[in-house]
Amino acid sequence: IFSLISAWQTGEWSINSLMDLPMNILSIALMMKLGLAPLHFWMPEVLQGISLPTGLILSTWQKIAPMALLLQTSHLINLNLTIALGLTSIMVGGWGGIGQTQLRKIMAFSSIGHLGWIIVILKFDPQLSLLNFVLYIIMTAAMFMSLTTISATKMLEISTSWSKTPALTTTTMLILLSLAGLPPLTGFAPKLLITLELVKQNATLLAVMVMFISLLALFFYIRLTYVVTLTLSPNTPNSLLTWRTASRSYSTTAIMNTMALILLPITPTLLLL
């Protein structure tokens, strides 16, 4: 509503002027819709209570509109507000996901952590925030589509998927490492670029804090990777092992998985777009 009223009064979509208090209220409202800490309490519970395809929409498509408004008003946002909420989100995203066994809740806390990285750099470099947001959507969509394909909502279910879909289970493990931000996967690019930009802006202490706090999230990503690839179910399935999936097409999942893994080498090209 605010964006429509502003466009109606000024004749353009860009938002150029707003007082401090209304801008802070608008920013906090948009950040609550994104699920940033400490306004995140709704997101893990809602994501846990819905299906995986709906969770995909909630974690990606639903965040495009508030993120677009934040990018349009990035020059008006309070810097201290973005840093405080960004650091809190990265910490909550890592700390909250450590003790979880439900995959949807883990993805919810993963989303909170990634959006924290996006918000921290929003005031310094909006274009880098946009690139980070696009890569976040690609990796999150690939993870949700993989979980939907193997019908896994708990760690126990994903640990038994190797005998049925070994190729998809392997790429799922790599997507988890990409979400963790390990090289040479796609998820390493935004973390590297954000850290370099913070150092360039003389915010070295902030960059160090962000990287150290992110080790919490790295722990549960690696733990989940271990469950996916290095553990086997103690019970032998009664049915025959199906080494091939059903005859329906999984081309979209394959494309998203590929993009979630190999975009790091073309990061300089993406920065020029």
Side-chain angles (χ1 to χ4, degrees):
I1 293 175
F2 169 79
S3 179
L4 290 174
I5 293 175
S6 176
W8 175 44
Q9 290 180 344
T10 62
E12 57 184 16
W13 284 105
S14 59
I15 302 171
N16 297 316
S17 62
L18 200 62
M19 300 299 290
D20 287 340
L21 182 59
M23 187 64 234
N24 289 339
I25 295 173
L26 174 66
S27 301
I28 292 172
L30 291 174
M31 291 176 185
M32 181 177 67
K33 189 168 179 61
L34 286 171
L36 286 165
L39 311 168
H40 68 286
F41 295 102
W42 64 272
M43 190 174 178
E45 301 302 327
V46 170
L47 203 60
Q48 174 60 27
I50 57 181
S51 63
L52 286 170
T54 312
L56 166 62
I57 297 173
L58 182 66
S59 300
T60 56
W61 185 262
Q62 181 262 342
K63 298 185 185 299
I64 293 177
M67 182 55 66
L69 282 174
L70 281 178
L71 288 170
Q72 286 187 353
T73 58
S74 60
H75 58 290
L76 303 172
I77 292 179
N78 189 312
L79 178 61
N80 294 328
L81 179 66
T82 59
I83 291 177
L85 267 67
L87 284 175
T88 307
S89 298
I90 297 171
M91 179 176 290
V92 169
W95 195 269
I98 286 179
Q100 298 296 332
T101 59
Q102 299 289 332
L103 296 177
R104 285 168 292 186
K105 276 195 175 181
I106 289 176
M107 291 305 299
F109 285 109
S110 169
S111 174
I112 294 169
H114 278 89
L115 288 168
W117 277 86
I118 296 171
I119 294 300
V120 159
I121 202 65
L122 179 64
K123 184 74 172 180
F124 297 105
D125 192 343
Q127 286 75 24
L128 184 53
S129 285
L130 178 59
L131 173 64
N132 193 356
F133 183 64
V134 171
L135 295 178
Y136 155 78
I137 287 181
I138 291 173
M139 292 185 294
T140 304
M143 189 64 196
F144 268 102
M145 293 170 76
S146 299
L147 293 178
T148 303
T149 302
I150 60 181
S151 301
T153 58
K154 297 190 287 290
M155 281 191 178
L156 177 62
E157 295 172 353
I158 200 173
S159 66
T160 60
S161 62
W162 173 262
S163 59
K164 296 182 179 180
T165 54
L168 183 58
T169 304
T170 303
T171 56
T172 301
M173 178 269 293
L174 292 174
I175 293 170
L176 286 169
L177 296 179
S178 182
L179 284 167
L182 296 181
L185 304 171
T186 300
F188 178 66
K191 288 182 169 54
L192 174 64
L193 294 173
I194 289 173
T195 304
L196 292 175
E197 182 64 27
L198 289 175
V199 173
K200 189 194 304 183
Q201 298 287 346
N202 294 322
T204 308
L205 179 60
L206 176 60
V208 171
M209 291 175 61
V210 166
M211 286 189 289
F212 269 110
I213 296 173
S214 295
L215 294 177
L216 292 170
L218 178 63
F219 171 78
F220 76 75
Y221 283 124
I222 292 180
R223 184 187 68 158
L224 192 54
T225 303
Y226 171 79
V227 170
V228 171
T229 57
L230 298 179
T231 59
L232 291 176
S233 174
N235 300 319
T236 304
N238 293 325
S239 60
L240 295 177
L241 299 182
T242 54
W243 288 91
R244 294 177 180 270
T245 55
S247 58
R248 52 181 177 161
S249 174
Y250 293 104
S251 57
T252 306
T253 304
I255 293 172
M256 294 301 295
N257 287 2
T258 304
M259 292 176 64
L261 297 178
I262 64 170
L263 289 185
L264 178 62
I266 64 171
T267 300
T269 305
L270 296 176
L271 291 174
L272 295 176
L273 294 179

